Amino acid sequence: MQYIGELISIGVAASWTVAALGSEIGSRKVGVVAMNAWRLGVAFLLSCVLMYFVFGSPVPQYASVPTVGVLLLSGVIGFFFGDWCLFKSYMVIGSRFGMLFMAMAPMFTAFFAWIILGQELGWRPLLAMAVTLTGISVVVLGRGKDHHLHLQLPTKGILYGIGASVGQGLGLVLSKIGLDGYEHDVPQALLSEVEGMLPFAANMIRCLAGFACFMLLLMIRRQTDILRTSSRDRKFMTIMLIVVLTGPFIGVGFSLMAIQYTAAGIASTIQATTPILIIVPTYYLFKQPITARSVVGAVVSVVGVSLFFLL
């Protein structure tokens, strides 16, 4: 039991690895928008069940209108824009490199926390940013025949990866604002009883926002039939359920549980090892070659992420 927080964090990193791989497979079958609509819709329904057993109601309790508004905006930016970019990056450069760019999310989180919340941006986060960018650059940049630096990945995929990390970072800062407001909304006499479940309730609101946006996009494109046809595909539905359980539902829940048993910095660092863990599975699933540059870049980027939490 001494290292339960660390063990949970290893499980979270593995869980997110499975979610990334499943997301790439599922998106290639039905498309990015339909995959996300399914993923967030099912995650929302599972959250409703969880809320019912915890609060006795399938909808979050006590949240004020301003709090709900901030959390909805967080869902639009994080789950809709961020995940749309992330899944698009999977289509262009694969989940392995898409997850590598997600190592930039803490950097953008620190930046937006500085802009919006006025949090100090000292030399420590700047050093962490530099190390993270160095690791990613090792993978992205290489010398061509003319001995000049060239991009080793498609520009479109790189931009999608950056967009995903921007959405994740800004969405996380807005989530913090919403959660702080949520804690203020709950009656103080009940706060100690429900405080541990507030992140799940907040995440449910964020899932609803993301699901609504993806459904609207499907309707605008007149592609809602994809949901009906994909529901008959047992292989896809199995993959989608695995993605939901390992990603926005169980993955998020256990990431929150981990910090209850160990330091947040240690938990976050272990959970950030997904870009390393995903290297071998993508070799066997998608035949992506393993090179020294890709391994070194992934390791350096994870070291950079760890500096955000451990310095």
Side-chain angles (χ1 to χ4, degrees):
M1 296 295 290
Q2 182 179 358
Y3 297 105
I4 187 171
E6 288 81 357
L7 292 174
I8 292 174
S9 295
I10 293 172
V12 170
S15 177
W16 285 342
T17 300
V18 172
L21 295 169
S23 296
E24 179 177 350
I25 296 171
S27 295
R28 293 190 184 282
K29 289 181 69 68
V30 302
V32 168
V33 179
M35 179 65 188
N36 274 287
W38 270 114
R39 183 177 68 101
L40 294 175
V42 174
F44 174 77
L45 292 176
L46 291 175
S47 297
C48 286
V49 175
L50 180 63
M51 290 300 102
Y52 178 78
F53 281 106
V54 174
F55 293 109
S57 171
V59 297
Q61 299 294 299
Y62 312 115
S64 64
V65 172
T67 294
V68 172
V70 172
L71 291 172
L72 288 173
L73 179 60
S74 171
V76 171
I77 294 174
F79 278 145
F80 178 58
F81 173 75
D83 283 359
W84 180 81
C85 287
L86 180 61
F87 281 52
K88 291 291 285 186
S89 75
Y90 291 167
M91 299 297 96
V92 180
I93 58 178
S95 54
R96 172 172 148 193
F97 295 112
M99 289 306 298
L100 177 65
F101 278 98
M102 288 303 288
M104 297 172 64
M107 178 180 76
F108 286 110
T109 301
F111 173 75
F112 286 118
W114 173 57
I115 294 293
I116 299 173
L117 302 177
Q119 293 184 359
E120 181 182 357
L121 190 62
W123 67 268
R124 291 178 179 83
L126 291 176
L127 174 61
M129 291 178 188
V131 174
T132 302
L133 290 175
T134 298
I136 294 174
S137 298
V138 168
V139 177
V140 173
L141 298 176
R143 292 190 180 276
K145 295 180 180 179
D146 56 2
H147 300 291
H148 292 141
L149 289 177
H150 292 279
L151 293 176
Q152 301 297 303
L153 298 174
T155 303
K156 183 186 293 186
I158 293 172
L159 293 176
Y160 281 138
I162 294 173
S165 58
V166 169
Q168 176 79 4
L170 181 54
L172 188 59
V173 171
L174 292 174
S175 293
K176 174 175 173 52
I177 296 173
L179 268 173
D180 289 345
Y182 206 163
E183 290 183 2
H184 184 267
D185 295 336
V186 176
Q188 291 302 306
L190 299 175
L191 184 59
S192 61
E193 299 178 14
V194 301
E195 188 173 13
M197 294 303 301
L198 292 185
F200 292 90
N203 195 56
M204 175 183 177
I205 297 172
R206 297 179 71 236
C207 284
L208 176 61
F211 170 70
C213 289
F214 281 114
M215 282 301 299
L216 179 61
L217 188 54
L218 282 175
M219 288 188 286
I220 292 174
R221 294 179 175 181
R222 298 182 179 180
Q223 295 178 338
T224 52
D225 286 348
I226 296 177
L227 299 178
R228 184 171 64 254
T229 55
S230 60
S231 67
R232 301 168 185 160
D233 187 334
R234 291 186 179 181
K235 183 178 180 180
F236 166 74
M237 293 301 290
T238 300
I239 292 171
M240 183 272 298
L241 288 174
I242 292 173
V243 169
V244 171
L245 292 175
T246 55
F249 191 65
I250 290 179
V252 172
F254 277 90
S255 69
L256 297 171
M257 184 183 297
I259 62 177
Q260 293 180 319
Y261 294 98
T262 188
I266 294 174
S268 299
T269 299
I270 296 173
Q271 292 169 23
T273 58
T274 300
I276 298 174
L277 297 181
I278 203 172
I279 291 175
V280 173
T282 53
Y283 171 77
Y284 287 103
L285 287 174
F286 309 123
K287 307 304 179 184
Q288 291 186 351
I290 300 175
T291 63
R293 177 187 286 118
S294 64
V295 174
V296 171
V299 171
V300 173
S301 67
V302 169
V303 170
V305 172
S306 69
L307 294 178
F308 278 99
F309 307 106
L310 300 181
L311 280 179

